[in-house]
Amino acid sequence: MVHELNSWLTIVDDDPAICEMLKIMFETYGYRVLVAFSGLDALKLFDTHGVDINLVLSDLDMPSLNGVSFLDCIKVMDDQIKCIVSSGLSS
């Protein structure tokens, strides 16, 4: 199913291979995808594209600004943004 709306998705992960795989997958379904390799880089994307971004997929464990801190920052910028924060680390 192709997503017909002008939906922008932001992927935030410090692993380039994860970002590329997710980018390809979501573009296949019609999403426009922005990629950031850190929470700080993603905040810069929000300064530029914030009003266009509908969904954020973020890694939990990243250097300089982890997923929870990043989420706190973007919720101040847009309290309606939908976010998914996950981790590939086992506990």
Side-chain angles (χ1 to χ4, degrees):
M1 176 177 165
V2 175
H3 200 24
E4 298 294 330
L5 300 174
N6 229 358
S7 295
W8 283 86
L9 168 71
T10 300
I11 297 167
V12 188
D13 198 304
D14 58 329
D15 185 333
I18 297 287
C19 289
E20 184 63 19
M21 182 220 25
L22 290 171
K23 181 177 187 294
I24 290 168
M25 183 181 75
F26 281 103
E27 286 177 339
T28 300
Y29 287 100
Y31 285 89
R32 295 179 181 186
V33 180
L34 299 168
V35 173
F37 299 113
S38 74
L40 293 175
D41 288 342
L43 289 178
K44 292 175 190 172
L45 286 177
F46 267 83
D47 282 341
T48 306
H49 302 283
V51 296
D52 298 321
I53 297 170
N54 305 100
L55 176 65
V56 176
L57 298 177
S58 178
D59 186 17
L60 177 63
D61 187 30
M62 295 181 291
S64 74
L65 187 65
N66 68 35
V68 173
S69 297
F70 166 67
L71 177 62
D72 289 341
C73 291
I74 62 168
K75 284 292 189 176
V76 169
M77 300 165 94
D78 179 356
D79 64 348
Q80 299 299 307
I81 191 77
K82 292 170 181 55
C83 303
I84 299 171
V85 178
S86 67
S87 177
L89 295 177
S90 59
S91 53

